[in-house]
C-alpha cells in the first residue's frame, strides 16, 4: 500500500468500528497497533467449569504455571483468569503515563481490552444524547450497523425495562441461571428500581466463523467458541479488503503535522527501529488515555489540567437463602446474568449481577472479613446461593484530572484520581437502597461485602476531549485539521451504563462522516 488515505491508531472496538465505513467507502486505510499477537482462544476441548472443579483439573482453573493466582489489585479478576500476565505489561511505560490515585489498565495487544471485557452492551436511547452535538439520529443508524456486524443477544422488552434502546437486531437472550431466574421472577414492581436481563455482545446462535455460546460457564477464562465479541476477531475480515492493511507491533510516540497532513512517529517493538508513516488524515483510537496524550501533544497543550471522567464502581455480595444446599449448576452463561437500574435521589446507578460460581472461590474469600480457611469454607457453602454485584455510579462522583508534562519530543501524561465529596453519601444511600430492594426479592446483602473499586479499576473512563468542545461534532481536534478522535476520549460525558457499544457506534458515525467528506472533496 502506498501512502494511505487514513491511518487508524489502535485496533480496539473503536478503531475497528471506524475502519469499516472507511474501507467500505473505498478509502485506503492503514491500521497500526502496539500489539503483535492477540490472546489465543482456549481449546474447544476444554471441560466445563463445573467439570474442572468436580474432577480437580487444576490447570484449567489456575493455569499451567499457576498464573491465574497472581495478584491484580483491586480490579476485575478477569484480568487474571482471561489473560496471561504479560497481557497488561508495558502499557503504562509505552504510553508514557504517570498516575497517582488512579489505576491505569490497558494492554499492548490487538483488540485491546475487548479480549477480556464483560460484553454488556448498552444502546442508549436518543434522549441520552441531549447536550451532545446534533448526533442523535446518526447514532441510531450507527448502533444498528454495529449491532448487525458484531451480533447482540437480548430482548427488546428487557432493554426497555432498563431504559435502553431495544430497536436493534437481537438474537434470542442467553438462558438465565437458576439464581438469576429466581431473583427475576420474584421481582415486584418498585419505583426507581428496575431489574432485567442484559443485552450482551455475545452470540446465542452462530455468526460467520464465530460459534454460539456453549454454556460452559467458563467465560471468565475466555470463550473457546469466540461467542463473546472481540475486535481482534474482525481483523482477518478487514484484511480481505485490498484497501486495508494492518501493521502490528508499532508503538506510536507522536502524531505531528507535515506538509501533506500528518506524520506518525513510532517504534517497532520487535526490532526497536523508528517507524515514520504519513497520511492526510489520522484517526486516534488508542484508548482514552493514550489518545489524549497524543492529541494534546499534537496541539502543544502542556501543563493544562483537564477533567477525566470515570464511573465509580462499587461491588457487593448477595445471598439468596432459598437456594442454600442446592448443588452447583452444571451449565450456563458465565458472565452478567441480570442488569439493574437503581435510583439514588437525583442520581442513577447501573448495576450487574453475576452468579457466584463463575469466578474463582479465592477471589470471593479474599473479600470476606474472616480467616482465609474460614472464608474459603464459607464461600464454597454459599456459592449455589450467591450472586456478585457491581454498581456503576455517575461520573459526577469522580474527581480525576490529567495534564501533559515533559518535552515536546517526549511528553508524559500525568493522571490524578479520586472521588468527589458526594461519593461517600451516594454509597451510603446505595447500600440502603440495595438492602431494601433485594430483601423485597428474597436476597440479602452479605455484611461487609459492599466496597468501592479503586478509581480507574472499573476501566470505564473518558470524556477528556469532548465532542463539540475540544473537537468538532465529528471528532476533529480543534486547530488540528485532519486529526480525529473516535474512542472514549471524545465522549461529551460518560454514561453510567456500559460505554463500549456507544463508543463503537460513535466511531462508526465519525468514520462515516469522514468518508462522506472525502467523497465530496472536502
Amino acid at each position: 500500500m502506498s501512502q494511505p488515505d487514513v491511518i487508524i491508531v489502535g485496533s480496539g472496538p473503536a478503531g475497528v468500528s471506524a475502519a469499516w465505513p472507511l474501507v467500505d467507502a473505498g478509502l485506503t486505510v492503514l491500521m497500526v497497533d502496539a500489539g503483535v499477537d492477540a490472546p489465543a482462544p482456549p481449546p474447544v476441548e476444554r471441560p466445563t467449569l463445573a467439570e474442572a472443579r468436580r474432577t480437580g483439573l487444576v490447570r484449567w482453573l489456575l493455569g499451567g504455571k499457576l498464573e491465574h493466582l497472581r495478584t491484580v489489585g483491586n480490579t476485575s479478576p478477569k484480568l487474571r483468569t482471561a489473560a496471561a500476565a504479560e497481557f497488561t505489561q508495558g502499557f503504562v511505560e509505552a504510553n508514557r503515563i504517570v498516575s497517582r490515585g488512579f489505576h491505569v489498565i490497558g494492554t499492548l495487544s490487538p483488540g485491546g481490552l475487548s479480549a477480556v471485557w464483560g460484553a454488556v452492551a448498552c444502546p442508549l436511547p436518543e434522549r441520552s444524547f441531549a447536550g451532545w452535538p446534533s448526533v442523535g439520529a446518526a447514532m441510531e443508524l450507527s448502533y444498528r450497523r454495529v449491532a448487525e456486524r458484531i451480533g447482540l443477544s437480548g430482548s427488546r422488552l428487557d432493554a426497555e425495562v432498563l431504559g435502553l434502546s431495544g430497536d436493534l437486531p437481537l438474537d434470542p437472550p442467553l438462558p438465565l441461571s437458576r439464581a438469576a431466574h429466581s431473583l427475576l421472577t420474584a421481582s415486584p414492581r418498585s419505583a426507581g428500581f428496575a431489574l432485567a436481563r442484559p443485552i450482551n455482545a455475545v452470540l446465542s446462535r452462530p455468526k460467520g466463523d464465530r460459534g454460539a455460546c456453549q454454556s460452559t460457564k467458563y467465560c471468565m477464562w475466555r470463550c473457546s467458541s469466540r461467542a463473546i465479541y472481540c475486535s481482534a476477531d474482525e481483523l482477518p475480515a478487514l484484511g480481505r479488503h485490498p484497501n486495508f492493511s494492518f501493521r502490528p507491533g508499532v508503538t506510536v510516540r507522536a502524531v505531528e503535522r507535515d506538509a501533506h497532513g500528518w506524520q506518525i512517529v513510532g517504534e517497532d517493538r520487535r526490532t526497536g527501529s523508528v517507524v515514520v508513516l504519513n497520511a492526510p488524515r489520522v484517526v486516534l483510537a488508542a484508548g482514552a488515555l493514550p489518545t489524549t496524550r497524543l492529541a494534546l501533544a499534537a496541539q502543544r497543550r502542556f501543563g493544562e489540567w483537564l477533567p477525566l471522567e470515570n464511573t465509580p464502581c462499587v461491588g457487593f455480595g448477595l445471598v439468596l437463602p432459598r437456594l442454600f444446599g442446592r448443588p452447583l449448576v452444571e451449565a450456563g452463561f458465565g458472565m452478567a446474568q441480570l442488569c439493574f437500574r437503581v435510583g439514588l435521589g437525583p442520581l442513577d446507578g447501573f448495576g450487574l449481577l453475576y452468579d457466584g460460581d463463575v469466578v474463582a472461590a479465592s477471589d470471593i474469600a479474599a473479600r470476606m472479613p474472616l480467616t482465609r480457611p474460614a472464608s474459603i469454607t464459607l464461600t464454597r457453602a454459599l456459592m449455589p446461593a450467591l450472586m456478585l454485584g457491581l454498581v456503576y455510579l455517575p461520573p459526577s462522583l469522580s474527581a480525576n484530572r490529567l495534564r501533559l508534562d515533559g518535552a515536546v519530543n517526549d511528553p508524559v501524561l500525568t493522571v490524578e484520581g479520586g472521588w468527589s465529596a458526594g461519593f461517600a453519601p451516594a454509597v451510603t444511600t446505595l447500600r440502603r437502597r440495595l438492602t431494601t430492594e433485594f430483601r423485597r426479592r428474597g436476597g440479602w446483602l452479605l455484611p461487609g461485602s459492599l466496597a468501592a473499586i479503586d478509581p480507574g479499576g472499573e476501566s470505564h473512563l473518558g470524556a477528556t476531549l469532548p465532542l463539540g468542545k475540544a473537537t468538532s461534532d465529528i471528532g476533529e481536534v480543534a486547530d488540528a485539521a485532519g486529526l480525529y478522535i473516535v474512542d472514549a476520549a471524545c465522549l461529551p460525558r460518560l454514561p453510567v451504563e456500559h460505554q463500549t457499544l456507544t463508543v463503537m457506534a460513535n466511531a462508526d458515525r465519525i468514520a462515516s462522516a469522514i468518508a462522506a467528506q472525502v467523497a465530496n472533496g472536502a
Side-chain angles (χ1 to χ4, degrees):
M1 181 187 288
S2 58
Q3 178 174 298
D5 296 313
V6 182
I7 295 175
I8 298 176
V9 181
S11 65
V16 167
S17 292
W20 279 111
L22 299 171
V23 169
D24 288 343
L27 300 180
T28 53
V29 176
L30 170 62
M31 178 180 285
V32 299
D33 193 272
V36 178
D37 297 311
V44 294
E45 67 272 13
R46 180 177 61 176
T48 67
L49 182 57
E51 288 170 345
R53 282 182 167 139
R54 186 172 59 250
T55 57
L57 296 174
V58 174
R59 69 187 181 94
W60 295 110
L61 295 170
L62 306 182
K65 299 179 181 178
L66 303 182
E67 62 269 22
H68 298 330
L69 287 177
R70 69 185 189 277
T71 299
V72 293
N74 189 18
T75 61
S76 169
K78 202 164 189 276
L79 287 172
R80 179 176 63 248
T81 57
E86 57 269 20
F87 181 69
T88 57
Q89 287 178 355
F91 176 82
V92 169
E93 295 80 6
N95 289 290
R96 305 288 287 143
I97 299 171
V98 174
S99 63
R100 294 187 287 269
F102 194 89
H103 200 111
V104 176
I105 299 172
T107 179
L108 303 178
S109 178
L113 292 177
S114 67
V116 298
W117 71 314
V120 172
C122 295
L124 303 180
E126 189 167 346
R127 64 179 179 274
S128 296
F129 302 110
W132 286 44
S134 301
V135 303
M139 285 291 286
E140 290 293 320
L141 292 174
S142 289
Y143 271 131
R144 178 168 290 274
R145 283 195 292 263
V146 171
E148 289 172 345
R149 195 183 81 235
I150 71 174
L152 301 178
S153 57
S155 82
R156 177 173 296 187
L157 178 60
D158 286 304
E160 291 173 352
V161 168
L162 294 168
L164 304 175
S165 172
D167 190 22
L168 293 176
L170 298 172
D171 283 353
L174 299 164
L176 281 177
S177 70
R178 180 178 60 203
H181 182 268
S182 173
L183 192 63
L184 187 61
T185 54
S187 181
R189 291 186 178 275
S190 179
F193 188 88
L195 185 69
R197 294 173 295 185
I199 295 177
N200 291 302
V202 182
L203 301 181
S204 59
R205 53 192 179 199
K207 182 179 180 66
D209 60 355
R210 294 167 56 205
C213 175
Q214 299 299 302
S215 298
T216 64
K217 302 202 84 170
Y218 240 127
C219 306
M220 292 288 180
W221 283 259
R222 294 203 74 220
C223 179
S224 59
S225 65
R226 294 189 295 146
I228 300 170
Y229 174 76
C230 174
S231 63
D233 292 338
E234 292 200 82
L235 295 177
L238 279 167
R240 289 192 281 271
H241 293 258
N243 55 325
F244 176 86
S245 61
F246 178 59
R247 183 165 178 177
V250 175
T251 301
V252 176
R253 300 299 187 193
V255 181
E256 303 172 348
R257 293 183 190 272
D258 70 5
H260 304 289
W262 292 93
Q263 183 177 85
I264 295 286
V265 181
E267 178 184 339
D268 191 310
R269 293 179 61 211
R270 295 162 294 187
T271 65
S273 59
V274 174
V275 175
V276 179
L277 303 166
N278 300 84
R281 301 165 193 85
V282 169
V283 171
L284 297 179
L289 296 181
T291 284
T292 299
R293 173 182 169 273
L294 292 171
L296 291 178
Q299 295 177 295
R300 303 295 192 261
R301 292 175 65 180
F302 287 85
E304 177 185 352
W305 285 110
L306 299 174
L308 166 66
E309 291 188 358
N310 75 300
T311 50
C313 186
V314 177
F316 64 92
L318 180 70
V319 175
L320 306 179
R322 56 184 173 272
L323 298 183
F324 279 150
R326 300 284 190 93
L328 288 175
V329 176
E330 290 286 312
F333 176 55
M335 289 202 289
Q337 292 288 320
L338 297 171
C339 284
F340 60 90
R341 191 179 295 277
V342 54
L344 306 171
L347 306 174
D348 271 359
F350 190 82
L352 309 178
L353 286 170
Y354 298 77
D355 283 345
D357 63 345
V358 301
V359 300
S362 57
D363 286 317
I364 303 172
R367 295 179 179 272
M368 289 192 174
L370 302 171
T371 64
R372 186 73 168 175
S375 295
I376 291 175
T377 299
L378 179 59
T379 296
R380 288 173 176 164
L382 286 176
M383 267 191 166
L386 182 65
M387 300 196 83
L388 304 175
L390 293 173
V391 183
Y392 297 85
L393 298 172
S396 60
L397 299 178
S398 66
N400 318 299
R401 60 180 187 168
L402 53 76
R403 74 180 182 193
L404 195 66
D405 295 315
V408 171
N409 60 350
D410 190 26
V412 175
L413 190 70
T414 300
V415 181
E416 295 184 352
W419 295 310
S420 74
F423 176 71
V427 171
T428 299
T429 302
L430 175 66
R431 180 184 289 106
R432 289 198 299 264
R433 192 69 196 272
L434 293 181
T435 298
T436 299
E437 295 297 341
F438 285 123
R439 280 187 184 177
R440 295 180 66 203
R441 294 159 176 82
W444 292 73
L445 258 65
L446 269 178
S449 67
L450 193 140
I453 293 175
D454 295 338
E458 79 294 331
S459 301
H460 296 193
L461 63 151
T464 52
L465 297 167
L467 293 169
K469 294 180 181 178
T471 75
S472 71
D473 61 353
I474 61 167
E476 191 169 30
V477 177
D479 301 320
L483 181 63
Y484 298 86
I485 296 175
V486 298
D487 58 27
C490 76
L491 296 183
R493 62 176 180 273
L494 288 193
V496 70
E497 303 87 354
H498 289 59
Q499 68 194 47
T500 301
L501 187 67
T502 296
V503 168
M504 295 174 76
N506 192 47
D508 175 277
R509 179 190 69 84
I510 291 173
S512 298
I514 295 171
Q517 282 188 341
V518 175
N520 293 328

